[in-house]
């Protein structure tokens, strides 16, 4: 799967245009002609329009739903709130939180649960399915600008921390660590890519959350 992003703004609200393309892995691995030199870079308005070349180091983690109404039952949210209060009373500013440290990691990820920091949980249904009941779409990919921040310091790799420091203070502010891709989505939001689980050929939906 390839995700393409046009570096130029479209429509009156300066929206970005995205394109999802599916490839056959065998054909891609056996391709006889691959780009040895990157294409020329057009004149861009902002630095974060052009992705920084970087290496992917995937890790498998468990994610859990966003702790708000329409995502988790109210009694469970109450238990989470009580646990967070107890953690804060015991550990102070470095106390872990469900939302920032346990449920959903920051940055780029495949599958899992979507984060709804800016919009709150929402239903994402396939508009192409010809059925009386809308088909809920499945999260395929999340593209996030930041890989780490003080609010989610537990996800920061140990090798990217300031050794003498602990907790939130150990998170380094080096842009190469916190934003290795250099990209931004919306006003520092996450770009969620949803696809139809019953018909992959249906158009995907893009949600900035």
């Amino acid at each position: 799967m390839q995700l393409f992003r046009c570096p130029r703004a479209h429509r009156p609200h300066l929206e970005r245009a995205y394109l999802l393309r599916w490839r056959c892995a065998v054909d891609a691995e056996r391709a006889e002609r691959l780009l040895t030199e990157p294409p020329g870079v057009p004149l861009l308005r902002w630095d974060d329009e052009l992705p920084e070349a970087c290496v992917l180091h995937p890790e498998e983690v468990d994610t859990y739903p966003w702790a708000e109404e329409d995502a988790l039952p109210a009694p469970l949210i109450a238990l989470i709130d009580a646990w967070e209060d107890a953690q804060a009373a015991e550990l102070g500013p470095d106390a872990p939180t469900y939302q920032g440290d346990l449920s959903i990691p920051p940055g780029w990820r495949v599958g899992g649960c979507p984060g709804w920091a800016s919009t709150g949980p929402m239903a994402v249904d396939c508009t192409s399915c010809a059925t009386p009941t809308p088909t809920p779409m499945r999260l395929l990919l999340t593209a996030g600008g930041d890989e780490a921040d003080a609010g989610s310091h537990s996800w920061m790799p140990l090798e990217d921390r300031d050794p003498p420091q602990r907790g939130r203070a150990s998170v380094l502010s080096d842009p190469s660590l916190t934003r290795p891709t250099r990209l931004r989505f919306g006003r520092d939001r996450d770009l969620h890519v949803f696809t139809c689980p019953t018909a992959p050929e249906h158009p995907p939906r893009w949600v900035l959350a």
Side-chain angles (χ1 to χ4, degrees), residues 145-149 156-162 170-181:
D146 292 318
E147 291 291 329
D149 56 54
M156 190 75 168
L158 295 178
E159 59 268 23
D160 293 338
R161 293 178 181 268
D162 185 5
S170 68
V171 178
L172 299 174
S173 59
D174 187 343
S176 65
L177 299 176
T178 58
R179 184 173 289 170
T181 63

Side-chain angles (χ1 to χ4, degrees), residues 77-92:
I77 295 177
L79 290 175
I80 292 173
D81 290 340
W83 175 81
E84 288 184 338
D85 291 341
Q87 294 294 308
E90 179 181 354
L91 302 175

Side-chain angles (χ1 to χ4, degrees), residues 83-106:
W83 175 81
E84 288 184 338
D85 291 341
Q87 294 294 308
E90 179 181 354
L91 302 175
D94 285 330
T97 64
Y98 172 85
Q99 212 83 295
D101 297 294
L102 300 177
S103 62
I104 301 172

Side-chain angles (χ1 to χ4, degrees), residues 47-55 176 179-183:
D47 290 340
D48 56 27
E49 299 293 348
L50 182 69
E52 181 75 23
C54 53
V55 178
S176 65
R179 184 173 289 170
T181 63
R182 192 169 57 181
L183 294 175

Side-chain angles (χ1 to χ4, degrees), residues 5 13-14 16 18 48 117-119 144-146 179 183-191 208-209:
R5 178 198 194 199
H13 301 291
L14 300 180
R16 294 292 179 263
Y18 301 97
D48 56 27
S118 301
T119 63
D146 292 318
R179 184 173 289 170
L183 294 175
R184 291 180 63 198
F185 300 93
R187 294 182 177 179
D188 289 323
R189 297 185 178 184
D190 286 343
L191 173 68
L208 279 171

Side-chain angles (χ1 to χ4, degrees), residues 60-66 98 102-105 109-114 139 155:
E60 185 174 351
V61 299
D62 294 323
T63 61
Y64 300 95
W66 199 250
Y98 172 85
L102 300 177
S103 62
I104 301 172
R109 53 194 180 272
V110 175
C113 299
L139 179 64
W155 297 101

